[in-house]
Amino acid sequence: MEARVSTASAPSGKWSPSPDASEIVKRIHAMLHPRNIVLVGATDKPGNYAERIWNNLIKYGFEGGLYPVNAKRETIWGVPCYRDFASLPDKPDHVLVLVPARFAVQVIRDAAAAGARSATIVTSGFSELQDEESQKLAVELQQAIRETGLAVTGPNCLGNLSAGEKLFTNIDDRIVTMEAGPVAIAGQSGAIVMAIRQALEDRGVGVGYMVTTGNEAGLETPDLMRYFAADPQVRVIVVYLEGVRNTKVFREACKAARAAGKPVIALKLGASEGGRAAAMAHTGALAGSIETFDAISTREGVIRARGLDELIETTECFVHADPPKGNRLAAVTLSGGKRGLLIDAFFSAGLNFAPLSRNASDGLARMLGPGSIVGNPLDAGFAAVVDPSVYMQSIKIMIDDPDTDIVIIDSELPKAPHELREKNLRIVNAMAGAASKPVVYISAMSIGFTEFTKALRKSLPHIAVMQGLDRAVDAIKSLIDYASLRKVVPDIVSSSSSSARATLEKTLKHATGAALDEVASKKLLKAYGIPVSKEEIVQTAADAVKAAKKIGFPVVAKVVSAEILHKSDIGGVVLNLNSAAEVKKAFNDITVRVKRLKGKPKLGGILIAQQVKAELELVVGAALDAEMGPVVLFGTGGVDIELMKDVALAGAPLDAAEARQLIQRTKAGVKIKGYRGKPALHEASAVKALVGLSNLMADAGTRIASIDVNPFLINTRTGVAVDALIVLNNEAAKSAAGH
């Protein structure tokens, strides 16, 4: 065998990025559609990564040039082996780096100088290790990638798949179906990305691209998302994310996918260590990174799977089902028990089966006799079991019914040849192809696919085939939710006033501690249009009485200290003060309690505040997530906030419409609308507070870690912030949080 020399560019008729496409899309296209592949560090040591990758490139018939490079060998694997890039018969294009880490940086520089456009660094020994030398190599590698402009995946990755090019630079020795399928996968973990590809392969779902990004010294997963959004071959984008390094780039990639009508299905690792400073406030503790990831990414059209099985089912669903026009479910089954399981499962997900149209109900009633339940879901029963044509006609009536948006069929694919079932499946596939709604087969249990099932599945492109009822329900709900999202999400910018921004700058300039005290926090909130209670800070009991009389009884007395973050915990809040004597006693009691505290916190005074009669205690807040940036929070507040955990989050900044949507996602939102005959509460004040908080976080950039307004009291006429804590993102806050 001889090393193959490339004589042409990419085959004609294949998609290429337009001249005005972004540079990142053009660079990735060069990586996934190369003219040739050069393996630097080629060795035939048994089981070596280089040999496994070479075998895959030969096995699947990569049609470009293949050139092994090893200065110590003249031949390898039965073909010529080249000393360096200069000795190659062709200019290098895509370079596989398989040399030890200490040589990899120079290989990248030499490859670029020789004319290469892209590289995959399989070699490990960089930032994943903690020793000083490895960290230094990682920095040098990133610098080389930036300076050369190569499209680089890795280091510490396991290679890529570009099925249309018959390119498989991966170590996996399992069978790969080389077809330009509709799914593209990218992610940092080679093992997980390879497992996803294999699971989809086993389900008969084609994967056109698979890219393992490793340490992401060059290309990051969002960069691949941008490319997949542009490639018309791709229908569904699947990603595995260990972290989001650049929120802006990630959101732009999501927007590109959304604009192209391509769902992004993500498997995301959990909470990060970031944002510990924010955890000094309730809001920071409640806003973990996975929740903030959902808050921001869902708005951009990302569907987060909670595990690999759910990811596979969701991918299957989106590959074979277009987003429905509505959420009106219909189902056909042959069992009353299965009918009940369907009703329960979808009800638990907040979905219900729609009433059938009169024509559909009448048609089914005339055709089906005793032992059937004519309704939705339909139990076609004995008549359909005895006469398969009745079963087929029942399905057709449900699909043709204009009052249904999704039709579910309770059945699984046969594991072995079955003439009648295969015939019926093809009839339903044809119905689905002509219908303007998704048709989904659901197996109540996960029964697996045989080789026969896999082949049969590929012949039924117009129906989704789901395994396991619970996972299928989640996938269908995701399909419905995705359909309801706007195709293009406008960017929302801060709507704050210049005077508010001036107050922010002045406050932050003079702040010295880890947090602002309640008085300073409320002053800043008020500047951003957030209503606050009437109050006055005092230094003596006599002044406390004067302030109480001016504000009007009843009043509240609260300790003021930037060093006491949770006042109630130390007895620093006294409610329902209705007389001068009660105010005086409260002032003295709080002062004594503070003096007895360990650490001797500095007392800034006692706050005498209006006691607002509240119908409901809310929490409104904001936090700066280490990965995803600023988010705002709304929910049920008060002292039981951690116990209740009735909260919802959204990315910041947001506008009034998104603030109302955020409120509606909570039980507190239900109460605000008027619950069980009670009057509606003043929602406008909560909306104003959320918009103001989101503007404040956007204007502050990274200088505020969290804002906690708890409680925010609301009644039928107004809503006010009666307590506030703003934690700063500075060295003092990090030290206090244990960094």
Side-chain angles (χ1 to χ4, degrees):
M1 178 182 176
E2 296 182 356
R4 295 199 293 274
V5 178
S6 173
T7 59
S9 298
S12 60
K14 293 188 178 181
W15 172 80
S16 293
S18 64
D20 60 348
S22 69
E23 283 304 310
I24 199 74
V25 168
K26 292 176 182 176
R27 288 166 58 207
I28 293 172
H29 189 75
M31 181 186 73
L32 294 175
H33 301 267
R35 293 184 292 267
N36 61 54
I37 299 174
V38 181
L39 285 79
V40 179
T43 172
D44 52 7
K45 187 182 297 182
N48 187 275
Y49 279 9
E51 184 169 75
R52 293 170 74 170
I53 292 170
W54 176 267
N55 288 340
N56 278 335
L57 288 166
I58 298 300
K59 177 165 61 175
Y60 295 110
F62 175 69
E63 295 175 356
L66 288 176
Y67 308 125
V69 170
N70 186 329
K72 298 179 180 179
R73 300 287 296 271
E74 292 185 0
T75 62
I76 192 170
W77 303 313
V79 301
C81 187
Y82 301 91
R83 179 177 181 81
D84 50 28
F85 292 120
S87 61
L88 294 176
D90 193 10
K91 182 170 70 174
D93 195 16
H94 181 64
V95 176
L96 280 166
V97 181
L98 298 149
V99 297
R102 63 185 182 277
F103 303 120
V105 175
Q106 192 58 49
V107 169
I108 289 296
R109 293 191 180 279
D110 292 346
R117 297 184 296 167
S118 65
T120 292
I121 306 173
V122 178
T123 304
S124 58
F126 293 88
S127 60
E128 77 277 8
L129 303 180
Q130 299 303 311
D131 63 278
E132 185 177 342
E133 181 62 26
S134 298
Q135 295 296 315
K136 181 182 175 184
L137 280 175
V139 172
E140 292 175 358
L141 179 62
Q142 285 183 311
Q143 184 176 349
I145 293 170
R146 282 196 303 269
E147 291 175 358
T148 60
L150 290 186
V152 176
T153 50
N156 189 31
C157 70
L158 296 179
N160 308 323
L161 163 71
S162 179
E165 299 293 342
K166 300 178 182 177
L167 178 155
F168 195 49
T169 58
N170 192 272
I171 67 166
D172 202 344
D173 56 5
R174 292 171 290 190
I175 296 298
V176 175
T177 301
M178 279 291 172
E179 61 178 37
V183 177
I185 312 170
Q188 291 166 266
S189 168
I192 289 178
V193 168
M194 288 157 60
I196 293 169
R197 188 212 62 78
Q198 184 63 45
L200 292 171
E201 168 92 21
D202 292 343
R203 290 286 293 271
V205 177
V207 174
Y209 296 112
M210 179 192 75
V211 180
T212 67
T213 59
N215 295 3
E216 299 191 343
L219 294 170
E220 299 183 9
T221 299
D223 298 326
L224 276 302
M225 291 164 59
R226 286 291 297 269
Y227 177 79
F228 298 151
D231 189 333
Q233 150 194 318
V234 176
R235 180 181 171 96
V236 177
I237 300 168
V238 176
V239 295
Y240 166 76
L241 296 167
E242 291 182 354
V244 177
R245 297 180 186 176
N246 188 320
T247 308
K248 184 175 184 291
V249 171
F250 176 71
R251 293 179 77 163
E252 287 174 350
C254 293
K255 287 179 186 296
R258 177 76 161 279
K262 300 180 183 182
V264 175
I265 301 170
L267 184 63
K268 172 72 169 63
L269 285 193
S272 71
E273 291 187 8
R276 285 185 183 172
M280 289 194 292
H282 292 294
T283 302
L286 291 169
S289 71
I290 203 68
E291 289 83 6
T292 52
F293 176 83
D294 288 343
I296 290 173
S297 63
T298 300
R299 180 176 183 266
E300 307 295 351
V302 175
I303 299 105
R304 182 174 67 85
R306 291 166 294 183
L308 285 168
D309 283 333
E310 185 178 314
L311 182 141
I312 299 304
E313 296 307 323
T314 306
T315 303
E316 158 72 32
C317 186
F318 275 89
V319 165
H320 293 100
D322 289 324
K325 295 176 181 177
N327 63 355
R328 298 174 299 177
L329 301 175
V332 179
T333 182
L334 297 173
S335 159
K338 292 283 191 69
R339 180 179 187 272
L341 287 176
L342 285 169
I343 293 171
D344 285 352
F346 280 97
F347 177 80
S348 295
L351 298 170
N352 293 296
F353 290 89
L356 299 177
S357 68
R358 183 66 178 269
N359 287 340
S361 295
D362 290 348
L364 291 167
R366 285 193 298 269
M367 185 173 58
L368 302 172
S372 302
I373 300 176
V374 176
N376 190 15
L378 170 69
D379 173 10
F382 181 75
V385 173
V386 171
D387 186 349
S389 67
V390 170
Y391 182 50
M392 286 294 101
Q393 186 60 26
S394 298
I395 293 172
K396 186 176 190 312
I397 288 172
M398 298 293 262
I399 291 175
D400 291 344
D401 187 350
D403 289 352
T404 65
D405 298 312
I406 302 174
V407 176
I408 296 159
I409 300 169
D410 165 41
S411 183
E412 66 273 346
L413 302 191
K415 289 190 171 185
H418 190 291
E419 183 178 353
L420 178 60
R421 293 182 68 188
E422 290 177 55
K423 176 184 175 183
N424 288 345
L425 282 164
R426 293 194 168 92
I427 292 171
V428 175
N429 182 66
M431 291 180 194
S436 58
K437 65 187 70 172
V439 176
V440 182
Y441 272 74
I442 296 181
S443 168
M445 295 179 288
S446 183
I447 59 171
F449 275 19
T450 62
E451 288 302 315
F452 170 80
T453 311
K454 192 189 306 182
L456 175 62
R457 197 277 158 275
K458 287 194 172 185
S459 70
L460 306 169
H462 302 304
I463 57 177
V465 178
M466 315 287 291
Q467 295 267 296
L469 182 54
D470 291 341
R471 296 194 297 268
V473 169
D474 289 337
I476 290 170
K477 188 176 189 306
S478 293
L479 188 71
I480 291 169
D481 291 344
Y482 184 81
S484 69
L485 296 171
R486 289 175 290 182
K487 188 171 183 180
V488 178
V489 181
D491 284 324
I492 296 171
V493 297
S494 174
S495 57
S496 62
S497 65
S498 57
S499 62
R501 293 191 293 274
T503 302
L504 169 66
E505 297 305 322
K506 183 179 179 181
T507 302
L508 294 180
K509 182 179 179 180
H510 293 97
T512 56
L516 302 180
D517 64 33
E518 182 178 350
V519 174
S521 295
K522 284 184 176 176
K523 184 177 179 181
L524 187 52
L525 295 182
K526 189 175 182 180
Y528 273 81
I530 300 165
V532 299
S533 56
K534 297 176 185 178
E535 57 193 31
E536 184 177 330
I537 187 169
V538 296
Q539 303 298 328
T540 68
D543 286 341
V545 172
K546 290 179 184 178
K549 289 179 178 178
K550 184 166 61 175
I551 292 169
F553 294 106
V555 295
V556 180
K558 293 189 282 186
V559 63
V560 177
S561 173
E563 299 172 42
I564 300 174
L565 302 180
H566 302 304
K567 295 180 280 290
S568 296
D569 293 348
I570 59 99
V573 179
V574 182
L575 305 173
N576 301 312
L577 302 175
N578 289 291
S579 68
E582 290 179 357
V583 170
K584 185 176 180 180
K585 183 177 185 302
F587 181 97
N588 293 330
D589 288 348
I590 293 173
T591 303
V592 169
R593 291 185 191 118
V594 172
K595 288 179 179 179
R596 290 174 179 170
L597 291 175
K598 292 180 180 179
K600 303 298 181 184
K602 183 180 178 181
L603 180 62
I606 302 296
L607 190 71
I608 304 301
Q610 167 194 14
Q611 181 162 318
V612 179
K613 183 180 179 182
E615 299 293 334
L616 184 63
E617 290 190 3
L618 302 173
V619 58
V620 292
L624 183 68
D625 183 73
E627 285 186 341
M628 303 304 296
V631 291
V632 293
L633 173 147
F634 174 86
T636 300
V639 294
D640 294 331
I641 179 173
E642 286 94 349
L643 178 64
M644 297 292 291
K645 289 195 175 178
D646 171 39
V647 296
L649 296 99
L654 46 69
D655 59 14
E658 287 195 316
R660 284 189 287 270
Q661 290 174 0
L662 178 62
I663 291 169
Q664 290 167 11
R665 287 162 49 198
T666 64
K667 294 176 183 176
V670 175
K671 292 179 180 178
I672 287 174
K673 291 295 184 185
Y675 180 64
R676 301 196 71 169
K678 291 186 177 181
L681 305 179
H682 200 260
E683 183 183 61
S685 60
V687 170
K688 191 175 182 181
L690 288 168
V691 173
L693 281 175
S694 77
N695 287 338
L696 175 51
M697 289 298 290
D699 292 345
T702 61
R703 294 174 293 175
I704 291 179
S706 67
I707 305 170
D708 198 33
V709 181
N710 180 36
F712 184 89
L713 301 182
I714 188 171
N715 55 38
T716 57
R717 295 176 298 169
T718 188
V720 295
V722 298
D723 198 359
L725 170 63
I726 296 179
V727 179
L728 305 178
N729 192 25
N730 59 14
E731 290 306 316
K734 292 173 183 176
S735 176
H739 278 267

